[in-house]
Amino acid sequence: MTAGFQLGVIESLTLSVASSVAIVICNKALISTLGFPFATTLTSWHLMVTFCTLHVAQRLRFFEAKAIDGQTVVLFGLLNGTSIGLLNLSLGFNSIGFYQMTKLAIIPFTVLLETIFLKKRLSETIKFSLLILLLGVGIASVTDLKLNFLGSILSGLAIATTCVGQILTNTIQRKLKVSSTQLLYQSAPYQLAILFTTGPFVDQLLTSRSVFAHKYTFPVVGFIVLSCLIAVSVNFSTFLVIGTTSPVTYQVLGHLKTCLVLSFGYTLLRDPFTARNILGILVAIFGMALYSYFSVREGRKKAAGDALPVSQMPDKETEPLLASAAKDGGDAKKANGVAHDC
């Protein structure tokens, strides 16, 4: 059982990294090279293709649809859709540096919310590794920090909705016993609805251009189709990773993707690369290695504790007796020692 779970985690992490890096490179070519800047509308198309793919898979019985409480799935879907829109608005109304700081803030806020509302506790070693990771990503990606009131409000809302949405992704899967595929299938229509209706307006606000008036050449359409196909894997692996690990681990994985994207941008696209970028990536990778090591070590300790036979675990009634016996034994040894000294 444990081996299967570990294998599933490794597969989901690998799929998430590979698909996310691929879609960033694809979208960079689509937006920067081909001049298609409508990111929010593109995201709604991603979700539409993802839902259609899952619907076909469900019809072919690759997975079984599971009914989830209507109010829960609607609110969850709308929250996630809103989160995506707010992140795009945050990028549009803030500098790149402040947007990167917004993404970095998601980890500590997620930890804070889980501590307050879910009573989860992270060890000091895990917190230290996260601090190293955030420091490295900050060095590598944060360049300027221009502040403005509206941008700060949008960033705050983006952080809040993203943290809550990712915590709910994990909580719903565990509490309601639904798989990542089942949750994504049920919630995708509501995420799609909010982005499909607001996407064109958000994009026009950010770019001063209309997605409907854009000239759709063959290369543009080809990259849009490719982006949508890769997005199926991205959306599926996102829910899978959060469900099998935790929202914090997913965010750590996201910063690994940032480092990989920076590296690929330099090697493949010849983006500017400085000693500061290299230093930040190395520090971030060191932080990720520490986080992985401490997480695995604590997971093994927990598994060993769970595997302890019941006969070796004192119950509440015998604990006082054991403590009393230990005390009496200690007193006897102490008395013998004193007598011997005399």
Side-chain angles (χ1 to χ4, degrees):
M1 185 103 173
T2 304
F5 173 77
Q6 291 294 336
L7 183 64
V9 170
I10 293 171
E11 289 173 344
S12 62
L13 293 174
T14 304
L15 178 63
S16 180
V17 170
S19 58
S20 295
V21 172
I23 202 169
V24 167
I25 294 173
C26 178
N27 288 349
K28 185 174 179 63
L30 180 61
I31 294 171
S32 301
T33 306
L34 298 176
F36 186 85
F38 310 108
T40 311
T41 302
L42 181 63
T43 304
S44 71
W45 295 345
H46 288 170
L47 285 165
M48 179 176 63
V49 173
T50 298
F51 175 73
C52 291
T53 303
L54 289 176
H55 186 68
V56 171
Q58 190 270 327
R59 288 293 184 182
L60 295 175
R61 302 194 181 281
F62 282 102
F63 71 95
E64 181 181 350
K66 185 173 182 179
I68 305 175
D69 175 62
Q71 185 176 2
T72 299
V73 76
V74 169
L75 290 175
F76 172 74
L78 294 178
L79 180 67
N80 274 292
T82 303
S83 167
I84 295 170
L86 285 170
L87 281 170
N88 284 333
L89 284 171
S90 175
L91 177 58
F93 282 90
N94 289 303
S95 64
I96 297 295
F98 193 81
Y99 174 72
Q100 289 296 341
M101 286 296 294
T102 299
K103 292 173 66 178
L104 290 177
I106 291 174
I107 283 184
F109 274 95
T110 300
V111 171
L112 179 64
L113 290 176
E114 288 189 323
T115 301
I116 294 173
F117 296 104
L118 300 181
K119 307 304 179 186
K120 288 187 178 181
R121 294 289 185 271
L122 294 181
S123 66
E124 296 302 319
T125 53
I126 292 289
K127 291 178 182 177
F128 175 73
S129 64
L130 290 174
L131 181 63
I132 297 295
L133 164 66
L134 295 176
L135 177 64
V137 177
I139 293 172
S141 61
V142 177
T143 52
D144 58 328
L145 286 175
K146 297 177 182 177
L147 303 178
N148 67 81
F149 179 73
L150 178 59
S152 300
I153 295 296
L154 291 171
S155 290
L157 292 173
I159 292 169
T161 53
T162 301
C163 292
V164 174
Q166 291 179 359
I167 291 172
L168 284 177
T169 301
N170 179 271
T171 304
I172 290 173
Q173 290 185 59
R174 293 181 183 276
K175 292 289 180 67
L176 301 184
K177 307 297 182 185
V178 297
S179 69
S180 55
T181 311
Q182 290 168 332
L183 180 58
L184 178 58
Y185 179 61
Q186 294 287 346
S187 63
Y190 303 102
Q191 296 182 58
L192 169 63
I194 192 166
L195 290 174
F196 204 77
T197 53
T198 62
F201 300 103
V202 171
D203 287 333
Q204 187 156 11
L205 180 65
L206 297 176
T207 65
S208 300
R209 294 165 58 184
S210 172
V211 66
F212 304 109
H214 189 77
K215 184 178 180 181
Y216 290 89
T217 61
F218 182 77
V220 169
V221 173
F223 269 89
I224 288 174
V225 172
L226 179 61
S227 179
C228 289
L229 292 176
I230 299 173
V232 176
S233 175
V234 173
N235 290 324
F236 173 72
S237 62
T238 296
F239 278 61
L240 188 61
V241 168
I242 296 176
T244 55
T245 58
S246 71
V248 173
T249 298
Y250 175 72
Q251 286 299 322
V252 170
L253 192 69
H255 293 308
L256 170 61
K257 298 171 194 173
T258 300
C259 294
L260 289 174
V261 168
L262 287 171
S263 302
F264 277 117
Y266 172 70
T267 54
L268 298 179
L269 305 175
R270 298 300 174 187
D271 287 343
F273 214 58
T274 65
R276 174 178 170 174
N277 296 133
I278 297 172
L279 174 64
I281 289 174
L282 292 176
V283 172
I285 290 174
F286 178 65
M288 290 173 208
L290 286 178
Y291 177 81
S292 301
Y293 172 75
F294 291 133
S295 295
V296 170
R297 190 179 70 174
E298 292 183 12
R300 285 175 179 170
K301 284 183 180 179
K302 184 179 179 182
D306 293 341
L308 190 67
V310 176
S311 60
Q312 297 182 21
M313 300 176 66
D315 56 36
K316 292 182 179 179
E317 294 180 0
T318 59
E319 275 181 353
L321 297 176
L322 292 173
S324 176
K327 183 177 183 300
D328 292 343
D331 290 342
K333 288 180 180 179
K334 185 176 179 182
N336 288 337
V338 171
H340 180 72
D341 291 339
C342 294

